[in-house]
Amino acid sequence: MREKTMKNLFNLKMLIPLVGISMPMSPGMAGTQSTQAIEQIINRYEAHLNESDAQSIMRLYGKDPVFMPQHSPAQVGRAAVKKAYDSVFANIDLNIKFTTYEIEIYGNTAWARTSSAGKTTIVSSGMKITEGNNELFVFKKEDGEWKIHRYLFSTTTPRQ
Amino acid sequence: MREKTMKNLFNLKMLIPLVGISMPMSPGMAGTQSTQAIEQIINRYEAHLNESDAQSIMRLYGKDPVFMPQHSPAQVGRAAVKKAYDSVFANIDLNIKFTTYEIEIYGNTAWARTSSAGKTTIVSSGMKITEGNNELFVFKKEDGEWKIHRYLFSTTTPRQ
């Protein structure tokens, strides 16, 4: 029954464990709340990407983030992460949808696997291209709020 | 003192927490052993990639792995992951070195952030190109052994 609810909640596409909760101090309901909080971060991240809103994205990241954009070294720290998003949005306008496959929570740490798909408009030319990525997130609960701690994505579109 | 040893051990390049151990059942020494075991998996993974040895790589993966190669949907399950590595090695011959920045362990789950850099030889043409990637790993301890559970990498080389 619980598994079915989870499947409906999270758009599960594969028969893999969706949520592994291992929290000695806060089992059950707290786990579900955390899962929903993390799902909400992913939803907000999708919305702010589509709005090209780097400032709102930075509210989703924690104190010591690492963002790993493609074709770039890892961006370490809030200033570098913000600059990287500003650069992304100067070049492309995203219209994508995330799908969450798995969220696992361990105390104040969690990870999630997602994919995203949609269209990207190249700002300079107006050209629209198909966009698709796999993503891994690591989250940390900081001062009671879940935040993005590590984030890596990689294209799924065939090699040109 | 402990921090210094960790830095030496893991080639830490940035002042970020390297190892966060949160294991109610096995603190201290067990944590260090797990960290070393995971570091060893990354070292073996590097070696087997450079040897184009898909069979040995599969011994590092767990029961229900997901491998997310670039330009491809996520490969779910051992058969799909093996096939993906076979396909990679049919096309390219890697000579790369991994750097591990962070390993965090939570009971039977862990994650690690690494980068890799070196050369790739295109098998069909013999052409050598510069290779660079960021990676996120999720590990699971299965039957007492740490295994790769989720693995995503993304290029760091500038857009061509």
Side-chain angles (χ1 to χ4, degrees), chain B residues 39-53 57 60 89 94-100 114-117 137 148 151:
Chain B
E39 183 73 1
Q40 199 171 49
I41 293 179
I42 296 168
N43 289 341
R44 283 184 190 154
Y45 183 68
E46 170 191 290
H48 299 326
L49 272 183
N50 289 334
E51 294 154 1
S52 300
D53 184 349
I57 284 174
L60 305 179
F89 297 141
L94 289 160
N95 184 9
I96 58 173
K97 183 87 195 146
F98 277 69
T99 303
T100 302
T114 63
S115 69
S116 58
F137 291 86
I148 303 171
Y151 174 54

Side-chain angles (χ1 to χ4, degrees), chain A residues 14 16 24 66 68-74 76 102 104 106 109 111 113 134-138 140 149-159, chain B residues 14 16 24 66 68-74 76 102 104 106 109 111 113 134-138 140 149-159:
Chain A
M14 274 173 277
I16 42 179
V66 180
M68 289 160 274
Q70 277 180 166
H71 306 293
S72 159
V76 179
E102 310 172 83
E104 286 196 357
Y106 299 91
T109 298
W111 66 269
R113 181 170 72 86
N134 284 309
E135 298 92 14
L136 278 179
F137 291 86
V138 177
K140 290 277 180 189
H149 184 61
R150 303 288 176 261
Y151 174 55
L152 176 63
F153 69 91
S154 182
T155 185
T156 57
T157 57
R159 200 179 285 275
Chain B
M14 274 173 276
I16 41 178
V66 180
M68 289 161 273
Q70 278 180 165
H71 305 293
S72 157
V76 179
E102 309 172 84
E104 287 197 356
Y106 299 92
T109 298
W111 67 269
R113 181 170 72 87
N134 284 310
E135 299 92 15
L136 278 180
F137 291 86
V138 177
K140 291 276 181 191
H149 184 60
R150 303 289 176 259
Y151 174 54
L152 175 64
F153 68 92
S154 182
T155 184
T156 56
T157 57
R159 200 178 285 276

Side-chain angles (χ1 to χ4, degrees), chain A:
Chain A
M1 189 63 185
R2 182 160 172 270
E3 203 180 324
K4 191 147 177 273
T5 311
M6 288 294 186
K7 277 186 196 172
N8 292 342
L9 244 174
F10 292 100
N11 190 15
L12 186 62
K13 289 206 170 158
M14 274 173 277
L15 289 174
I16 42 179
L18 176 65
V19 180
I21 296 166
S22 170
M23 294 188 297
M25 283 160 57
S26 38
M29 197 55 201
T32 305
Q33 281 169 5
S34 285
T35 306
Q36 286 170 352
I38 287 165
E39 183 73 2
Q40 199 172 47
I41 293 179
I42 297 168
N43 289 342
R44 283 185 190 155
Y45 183 68
E46 171 193 289
H48 299 326
L49 273 183
N50 290 335
E51 294 154 1
S52 301
D53 184 349
Q55 207 166 339
S56 295
I57 284 175
M58 290 316 296
R59 282 198 288 270
L60 305 178
Y61 272 96
K63 293 169 189 169
D64 301 301
V66 180
F67 169 41
M68 289 160 274
Q70 277 180 166
H71 306 293
S72 159
Q75 302 297 307
V76 179
R78 290 186 60 86
V81 171
K82 170 68 163 57
K83 204 173 158 185
Y85 280 99
D86 285 339
S87 167
V88 167
F89 296 141
N91 291 303
I92 61 171
D93 187 355
L94 290 159
N95 183 9
I96 57 173
K97 183 87 197 145
F98 277 70
T99 304
T100 301
Y101 302 102
E102 310 172 83
I103 298 172
E104 286 196 357
I105 300 165
Y106 299 91
N108 291 326
T109 298
W111 66 269
R113 181 170 72 86
T114 64
S115 69
S116 59
K119 292 281 176 191
T120 298
T121 307
I122 310 296
V123 170
S124 60
S125 66
M127 190 173 75
K128 276 188 199 303
I129 57 172
T130 299
E131 181 77 27
N133 293 287
N134 284 309
E135 298 92 14
L136 278 179
F137 291 86
V138 177
F139 300 91
K140 290 277 180 189
K141 202 170 191 177
E142 297 178 1
D143 305 326
E145 274 194 79
W146 285 101
K147 298 287 182 182
I148 303 171
H149 184 61
R150 303 288 176 261
Y151 174 55
L152 176 63
F153 69 91
S154 182
T155 185
T156 57
T157 57
R159 200 179 285 275
Q160 300 300 313

Side-chain angles (χ1 to χ4, degrees), chain B residues 76-89:
Chain B
V76 179
R78 289 186 61 85
V81 171
K82 171 68 162 59
K83 206 172 157 186
Y85 279 100
D86 285 340
S87 167
V88 167
F89 297 141

